[in-house]
């Protein structure tokens, strides 16, 4: 293929173009010659301006310079490149030094003997003006001329542009030789148009300034506004460099040219590349033949290689941690089999690099323990086998992910351990010493916490040696484990190097020996007493070390501090303390002064405001409680303290381990000093352990909540498409989705959308008059009822989906049910199990959590640009009914915004998303992905990143390669490429092994290369087993098999099984014997695999998901109202808005949309007073919920004052001692005194904005609220006054005095409210809207004004 072949065709002559042309130089008419070029029938125009274009020798010379032969030497290429560069430089210098035509004309005028040269065509074509008919025709260039400018035209153009730029910098006319004056052909007069656009030639900066009449200041302003003409020099320089690079690219083997190629990072910002997964690291991930999730997770440890011993240690390490939770479900006899299963799974992950779905699907036999057990004799079946096979699943799929996570943690442990070991070895080689404690504790440390203890001990004991080593190895030979010694470390180093350390040894026991006694490991170490008392020994000369330690008291104090520090940093002692804390540690929660005011009985943090003595191990079952406590502590409302429950008894036990057993005055004196040392050490140990245990407990609780989110998300995505009667499970239904959103029923429009089984929106619209009439009252149906009937009859949907986020959606649901019943609307399919009878069209309330995110998303705007948000909402509802899994997968990382657990907000989003991603990976690999559908359908393509072995980067690469290969594949093997068929590889062999069985290709009986097994869950490595089973089911002998496969390919046997519809025959095969032969002969466990092959041969990729889950009444209640059982229940006092006041009842509505009634007996305790005298329509009052039906969304309320005064009491199940009742009562008394300074009874106003606050509490409450928010509170000016506090801005509040007029009693509300002595309002709501909100609006307008500046007066 030549360059000409890549060009679709040359420009043809216009049909109206004359065959004659005027020679531009001679003025003679010449004929245009056309001739066919070879077999391609391309035409060439021979009327070129330069005669040598047709010269074959010149063309050959040009091609010779352009085309680089493979055998050309690099030195020759470099020589030619230097020559071209030199030639361009010489031409540029010649042009700059030469005289232009005007200079020559001037010379000719001065010297009559000077011969004027003939005018020649300018090097650069002049700018043409197309509207002039008498302009010269621009020279055409054919394909052969593409390369003519290789060394001449391009060089000339580049040189010209460089000189032009130099002229521009000197403010010269850069187009002096570029624009050619057009003269009239007859009289040489310049065109007026040309004269108008002509520019002065050669003006300098001063000439321009004088001509413009501008002074220096004006020119400076002009330069600031328009620049100095050099603003884009950088772009022109870049273009020069690029063209120079293109010149070198002509030589494809020029290494310097290859380095200059433009890359994406030269064009886009790093953040943009990272967002699009186009960084160099992303490309490395694409190229590596390793599962993408493995590469990302193991990136911090990519240079770590585990030894064989470490690998064995890891399998035991992981088994211990999983068995602690698994032993409740498995018998103790299975412990060894469990450990072997974990070791095998680890081998698959680390050595074979198989992902979890592959192991769970194709290595299932290694995580199942099977054994033959004696069968109980059955008299009714004497011929039954004496034994039966019993299988126990040792590991669940979620536990395989846990093994993967633990592998990462173990790698981090080994990396830190190796770094410490290397540092220790370097220290030994440099100083020739040995630390037996370090050598003993380093291999025994099996957690990061214990390893950190060893590191702290190491840096404490050998701080000076490490400093010397760092000085010898300035290049950080300590591998990052060195720590900067603090002042306390320097102090202890001085003690260790002084004679005072002899007094430390005189205590008779080392820190390690004491810790070993406390740990109850090994032989007990006994304490020896010196012959002298502690104070006498400290006064001796060989102990004192002046000037720092010149007295015995100083020496004894320093020795005690040194021993206490050694105990504190002893790894064994920390292990003792950590074990004790996890066994007997308790958590106490203390409110702060801020929490005293903020946390009232209705606050969510009140559950633990006075919590005491809560065992640490209990939080494993209540992780949400501890995480909520941590959040409250971060907000400064509480303080969490962790302590030992039996600290004193534990301390006494430790005393016995450090004291000597002697009975003497000297022994007693030394034992007192030892107890003081231990007290000093325990003080620091308790503080450190409390902090470490709190951090670890927080991590454990976060992991537990994340696992709960995973389980809930797994339940939500484990749903097949909705199955109406008559459809097979897994078939996509046609859906008509309807919603009123948050609109009021029968007052706002209702949107609908019809989505077919392909997911296409075929029709959508709005209903504005949809209501069912009442024939008994002569009320006809709304106009849209008939329209709805027509839509159903025309489109024939399988189901109607309904949802919304208002309580009125329940009314819409009831109305649709009535329409379906009255109009007898039926589904499109018949139920084959019911005699072909058609059923009424079903109405399903759909989970809308995905639809709420989709309706206003950029994805919705791109897919349906003309749709209203509520219509997009309906589309998402329909698609959710068709495939919940597709909708969740399309959310990508936005899935984190969906609430899976009440405590989800207390856990970092990264942890939640990681668990949700693993759940998605599990489910998508169970369902499988049609790879050819993924190429053309973006919704299916959303599955690819979750396929085993793939990820976002490899999924992109796979789709790109498939498109390059032709846009579709016929076999799974094509994914790894085929050089013979010129097919590129989409993935490497290892990734292909992971993903191939989860990417299926629909079987086409007509296509010869189509393999039935490519449409199943059977892995290509097991195709031979499937073909063997098919042959055995068809009872074919070896000759038949050979004949069939030789004629029709390797898949012929399975194709024959399917063609003859004989798949059921595989049920007659005895797979147990076959599995035993495979294990015996090939050491392969394939029992579960054979069962899987049998199932897939009968039903390829059978739907394994659960049926579509209908929402429960509780879930519908939360979706429609936004309330939960905790946030809204009977006995609560809530604000209600009165809709209607009758003679003996009141109709009202809560903020959540639930409507209810107030019975006559619940309106007031005074029956003689009419409800209309007390309340009026649209009034907002406080009411107690007496009845709440969560299914029908109906409620009953009470307005009786005695009911409102009874506070709501939550029932808490607490053990004695877990709640500080004394502190709670004291705080209530204290708050009562603060709120009732004057001794008056605290007022209660029936308004949702009323709070029993003083001005400080009101400001603190509004501190986190939005600008313009309001609090109504009691006033200190008397019972006929109220105070209104509203937030003007951050830290700015206004307190408004409100006078109540027309009060009938001390505790009643006023009939009117006066503000500032001149503004009167009829109720509080009117005052807030017309007074406070009006001022807040003015504040907003002021702050948004362009002249407004934030900050203080001094700042502005």
């Amino acid at each position: 293929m030549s360059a000409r072949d890549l060009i679709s065709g040359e420009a043809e002559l216009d049909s109206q173009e004359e065959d004659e042309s005027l020679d531009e130089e001679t003025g003679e008419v010449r004929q245009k010659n056309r001739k066919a070029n070879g077999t391609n029938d391309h035409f060439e125009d021979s009327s070129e301006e330069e005669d040598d274009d047709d010269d074959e020798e010149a063309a050959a010379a040009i091609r010779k310079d352009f085309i680089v032969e493979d055998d050309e030497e690099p030195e020759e290429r470099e020589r030619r490149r230097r020559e071209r560069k030199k030639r361009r430089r010489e031409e540029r210098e010649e042009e700059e030094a030469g005289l232009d035509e005007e200079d020559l004309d001037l010379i000719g005028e001065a010297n009559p003997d000077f011969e004027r040269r003939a005018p020649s065509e300018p090097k650069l074509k002049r700018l043409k003006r197309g509207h002039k008919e008498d302009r010269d025709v621009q020279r055409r260039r054919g394909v052969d001329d593409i390369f003519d400018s290789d060394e001449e035209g391009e060089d000339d153009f580049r040189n010209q542009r460089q000189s032009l730029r130099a002229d521009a910098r000197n403010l010269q006319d850069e187009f002096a030789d570029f624009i050619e004056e057009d003269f009239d052909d007859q009289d040489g007069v310049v065109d007026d148009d040309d004269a108008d656009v002509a520019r002065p030639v050669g003006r300098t900066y001063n000439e321009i300034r004088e001509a413009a009449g501008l002074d220096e200041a004006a020119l400076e302003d002009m330069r600031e506004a328009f620049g100095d003409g050099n603003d884009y020099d950088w772009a022109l320089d870049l273009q020069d460099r690029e063209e120079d690079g293109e010149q070198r690219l002509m030589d494809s083997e020029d290494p310097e040219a290859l380095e200059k190629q433009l890359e994406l990072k030269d064009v886009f910002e790093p953040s943009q590349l990272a967002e699009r997964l186009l960084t160099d690291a992303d490309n490395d991930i694409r190229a590596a033949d390793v599962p993408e999730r493995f590469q990302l997770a193991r990136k911090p440890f990519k240079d770590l290689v585990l030894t064989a011993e470490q690998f064995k240690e890891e399998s035991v390490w992981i088994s211990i941690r999983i068995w602690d939770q698994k032993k409740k479900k498995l018998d103790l006899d299975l412990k060894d089999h469990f450990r072997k299963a974990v070791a095998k799974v680890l081998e698959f992950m680390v050595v074979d690099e198989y992902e979890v779905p592959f192991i769970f699907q194709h290595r299932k036999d290694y995580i199942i323990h099977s054994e033959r057990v004696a069968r109980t004799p059955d008299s009714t079946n004497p011929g039954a086998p004496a034994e039966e096979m019993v299988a126990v699943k040792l590991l669940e799929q979620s536990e395989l992910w846990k093994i993967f996570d633990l592998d990462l943690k173990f790698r981090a442990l080994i990396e830190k351990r190796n770094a410490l070991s290397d540092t220790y070895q370097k220290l030994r080689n440099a100083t020739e010493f040995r630390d037996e404690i370090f050598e003993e504790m380093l291999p025994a440390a099996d957690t990061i916490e214990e390893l950190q203890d060893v590191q702290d001990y190491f840096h404490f004991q050998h701080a000076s040696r490490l400093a010397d080593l760092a000085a010898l190895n300035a290049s950080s030979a300590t591998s990052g484990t060195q720590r900067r010694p603090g002042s306390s470390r320097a102090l202890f180093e001085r003690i260790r190097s002084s004679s005072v350390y002899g007094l430390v040894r005189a205590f008779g026991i080392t820190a390690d020996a004491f810790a070993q006694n406390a740990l109850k490991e090994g032989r007990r170490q006994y304490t020896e007493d010196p012959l002298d008392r502690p104070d006498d020994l400290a006064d001796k000369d060989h102990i004192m070390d002046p000037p720092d330690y010149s007295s015995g008291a100083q020496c004894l104090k320093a020795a005690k501090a040194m021993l206490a520090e050694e105990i504190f940093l002893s790894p064994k002692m920390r292990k003792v303390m950590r074990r004790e804390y996890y066994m007997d540690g308790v958590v106490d929660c203390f409110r702060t002064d801020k929490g005293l005011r903020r946390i009232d009985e209705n606050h969510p943090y009140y559950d633990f405001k006075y919590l005491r003595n809560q065992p640490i191990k209990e939080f494993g079952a209540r992780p949400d409680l501890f995480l909520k406590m941590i959040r409250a502590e971060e907000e400064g409302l509480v303080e969490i303290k962790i302590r030992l429950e039996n600290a004193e008894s534990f301390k006494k036990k430790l005393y016995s381990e450090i004291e000597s057993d002697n009975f003497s005055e000297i022994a007693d004196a030394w034992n007192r000093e030892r107890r003081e040392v231990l007290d000093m050490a325990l003080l620091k140990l308790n503080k450190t352990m409390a902090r470490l245990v709190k951090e670890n407990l927080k991590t454990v609780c976060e992991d537990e909540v994340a696992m709960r989110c995973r389980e809930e998300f797994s339940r939500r995505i484990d749903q097949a498409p909705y199955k109406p009667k008559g459809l097979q499970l897994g078939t996509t239904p046609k859906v008509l989705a309807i919603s009123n959103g948050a609109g009021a029923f029968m007052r706002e429009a209702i949107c609908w959308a019809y989505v077919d089984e392909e997911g296409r929106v075929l029709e959508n619209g709005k209903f504005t008059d949809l209501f069912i009439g009442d024939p008994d009252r002569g009320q006809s149906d709304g106009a849209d009822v008939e329209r709805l009937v027509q839509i159903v009859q025309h489109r024939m949907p399988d189901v109607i989906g309904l949802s919304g986020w208002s309580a009125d959606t329940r009314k819409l649901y009831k109305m649709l049910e009535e329409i379906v019943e009255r109009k007898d609307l039926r589904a499109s399919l018949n139920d084959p199990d019911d005699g072909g009878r058609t059923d009424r069209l079903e109405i399903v309330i759909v989970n809308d959590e995905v639809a709420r995110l989709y309706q206003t998303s950029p994805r919705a705007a791109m897919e349906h640009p003309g749709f209203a948000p509520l219509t997009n909402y309906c589309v998402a509802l329909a698609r959710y009914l068709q495939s919940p899994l597709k909708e969740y997968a399309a959310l990508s990382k936005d899935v984190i915004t969906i609430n899976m657990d009440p405590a989800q907000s207390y856990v970092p989003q990264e942890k939640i998303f990681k668990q949700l991603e693993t759940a998605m990976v599990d489910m998508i690999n169970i369902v499988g992905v049609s790879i050819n559908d993924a190429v053309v359908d973006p919704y299916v393509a959303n599955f690819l990143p979750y396929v085993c072995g793939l990820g976002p980067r490899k999924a992109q690469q796979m789709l790109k390669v498939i498109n390059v290969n032709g846009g579709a594949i016929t076999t799974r093997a094509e994914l790894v490429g085929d050089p013979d068929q010129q097919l590129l590889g989409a993935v490497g062999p290892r990734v292909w092994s992971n993903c191939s069985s989860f990417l299926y290709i629909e079987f086409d009986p007509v296509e010869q290369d189509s393999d039935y097994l490519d449409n199943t869950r059977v892995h290509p490595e097991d195709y031979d087993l499937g073909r063997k089973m098919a042959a055995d089911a068809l009872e074919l002998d070896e000759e038949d098999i050979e004949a069939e496969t030789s004629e029709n390919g390797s898949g012929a046997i399975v194709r024959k099984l399917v063609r003859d519809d004989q798949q059921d025959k595989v049920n007659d095969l005895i797979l147990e014997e076959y599995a035993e032969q495979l294990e015996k002969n090939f050491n392969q466990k394939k029992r579960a695999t054979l069962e899987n092959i049998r199932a897939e041969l009968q039903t390829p990729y059978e739907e394994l998901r659960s049926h579509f889950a209908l929402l429960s009444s509780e879930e519908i209640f939360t979706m429609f109202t936004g309330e939960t059982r905790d946030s809204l229940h009977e006995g609560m006092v809530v604000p209600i808005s009165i809709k209607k006041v009758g003679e003996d009842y009141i109709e009202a509505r809560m903020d959540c949309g639930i409507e209810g009634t107030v019975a006559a007996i619940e309106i007031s305790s005074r029956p003689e007073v009419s409800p209309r005298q007390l309340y009026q329509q649209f009034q907002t009052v406080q009411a107690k919920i007496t009845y709440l039906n969560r299914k029908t969304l109906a409620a009953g309320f009470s307005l009786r004052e005695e009911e409102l005064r009874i506070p709501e009491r939550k029932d808490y199940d607490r053990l004695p001692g877990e709640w500080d009742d004394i502190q709670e009562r004291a705080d209530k008394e204290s708050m009562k005194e603060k709120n009732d300074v004057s001794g008056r009874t605290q007022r209660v106003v029936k308004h949702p904005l009323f709070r029993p606050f003083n001005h400080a509490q009101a400001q603190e409450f509004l501190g986190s609220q939005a600008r313009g928010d309001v609090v109504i509170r009691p006033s200190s000016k008397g019972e006929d006054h109220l105070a209104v506090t509203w937030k003007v801005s951050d830290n700015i509040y206004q307190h408004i005095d409100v006078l109540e007029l027309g009060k009938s009693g001390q505790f009643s509300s006023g009939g009117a409210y006066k503000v500032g002595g001149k503004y009167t309002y009829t109720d509080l709501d009117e005052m807030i809207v017309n007074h406070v909100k009006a001022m807040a609006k003015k504040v907003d307008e002021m702050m948004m004004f362009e002249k407004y500046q934030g900050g203080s007066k001094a700042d502005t």
Side-chain angles (χ1 to χ4, degrees), residues 1293-1332:
Y1293 307 91
Q1294 183 184 23
H1295 304 281
I1296 303 174
D1297 177 42
V1298 180
L1299 177 64
E1300 296 181 275
L1301 304 177
K1303 288 172 62 72
S1304 59
Q1306 179 181 3
F1307 301 107
S1308 62
S1309 298
Y1313 301 88
K1314 179 171 287 191
V1315 178
K1318 55 181 178 179
Y1319 304 108
T1320 304
Y1321 305 97
T1322 57
D1323 57 28
L1324 291 173
D1325 290 327
E1326 182 186 1
M1327 182 203 66
I1328 291 172
V1329 172
N1330 295 332
H1331 190 86
V1332 179

Side-chain angles (χ1 to χ4, degrees), residues 842-890:
E842 296 179 84
I843 304 173
V844 177
I845 298 178
V846 188
N847 186 342
D848 73 337
E849 58 189 10
V850 178
R852 294 194 191 193
L853 296 175
Y854 175 79
Q855 61 178 334
T856 56
S857 66
R859 183 162 55 96
M862 180 181 64
E863 294 175 356
H864 311 292
F867 285 12
L870 190 56
T871 304
N872 286 325
Y873 177 85
C874 293
V875 172
L877 293 179
R879 286 177 172 170
Y880 189 91
L881 278 170
Q882 293 177 336
S883 177
L885 184 61
K886 278 187 179 181
E887 290 304 294
Y888 285 112

Side-chain angles (χ1 to χ4, degrees), residues 281 285 293-303 408 415:
I285 292 175
R293 276 174 286 274
F294 280 5
Q295 293 187 61
L296 294 174
R298 295 172 178 171
K299 186 177 180 180
F301 319 109
K302 61 181 180 180
D303 298 328
L408 299 178
E415 188 175 54

Side-chain angles (χ1 to χ4, degrees), residues 754-771:
Y754 172 76
V755 182
D756 69 357
E757 60 270 24
E758 300 295 331
R760 298 172 298 182
V761 183
L762 300 186
E763 194 174 357
N764 69 91
K766 292 184 179 181
F767 296 135
T768 58
D769 192 20
L770 185 66
F771 67 91

Side-chain angles (χ1 to χ4, degrees), residues 1059-1170:
R1059 184 177 64 247
D1060 298 343
D1061 197 17
Q1062 301 291 320
Q1063 294 99 315
D1064 292 341
K1065 286 189 175 182
V1066 296
N1067 291 325
D1068 300 333
L1069 300 177
I1070 303 175
L1071 301 181
E1072 188 58 45
E1073 296 179 359
Y1074 196 17
E1076 291 177 354
Q1077 292 178 5
L1078 287 173
E1079 186 171 4
K1080 179 180 180 181
N1081 298 332
F1082 301 100
N1083 196 27
Q1084 295 180 354
K1085 293 184 177 182
K1086 292 287 186 179
R1087 179 70 180 85
T1089 302
L1090 293 175
E1091 289 290 349
N1092 179 56
I1093 295 174
R1094 172 154 59 184
E1096 291 297 317
L1097 287 175
Q1098 299 178 76
T1099 310
Y1101 260 101
E1102 180 184 6
E1103 181 61 72
L1104 300 180
R1105 287 173 289 181
S1106 304
H1107 284 263
F1108 189 89
L1110 299 178
L1111 296 177
S1112 64
S1113 299
E1114 191 69 32
E1115 290 171 330
I1116 294 174
F1117 175 83
T1118 300
M1119 186 173 66
F1120 286 171
T1121 65
E1123 303 287 352
T1124 63
R1125 189 170 290 275
D1126 293 332
S1127 65
L1128 190 68
H1129 52 264
E1130 296 175 358
M1132 289 186 64
V1133 177
V1134 296
I1136 61 173
S1137 177
I1138 296 176
K1139 295 179 58 182
K1140 182 179 180 181
V1141 181
E1143 291 293 336
D1144 56 354
Y1145 70 95
I1146 293 176
E1147 293 182 0
R1149 179 188 181 97
M1150 288 189 284
D1151 291 338
C1152 63
I1154 296 178
E1155 297 180 352
T1157 58
V1158 183
I1161 193 174
E1162 297 294 343
I1163 294 176
S1164 175
S1165 57
R1166 297 180 293 170
E1168 71 280 1
V1169 181
S1170 171

Side-chain angles (χ1 to χ4, degrees), residues 409-461:
K409 293 181 179 179
F410 185 80
R411 288 171 182 266
L413 179 73
I414 291 299
E415 188 175 54
K416 189 176 182 68
R417 183 195 293 176
N418 289 346
L420 271 174
S421 179
D422 292 344
T423 303
Y424 175 70
Q425 193 61 42
K426 292 176 181 178
L427 204 61
R428 283 198 61 186
N429 296 337
T431 58
E432 297 183 0
F433 86 103
R434 184 175 181 182
D435 189 329
E436 296 180 355
I437 298 176
F438 179 84
E439 294 178 358
E440 175 190 357
M441 296 303 300
L442 183 62
D446 61 354
T447 65
I448 288 292
E449 292 83 1
E450 292 183 359
L451 203 58
Q452 185 62 44
D453 295 341
V454 175
Q455 179 174 322
D456 291 343
Y457 161 82
F458 181 67
H459 284 280
F460 170 73
Q461 290 290 340

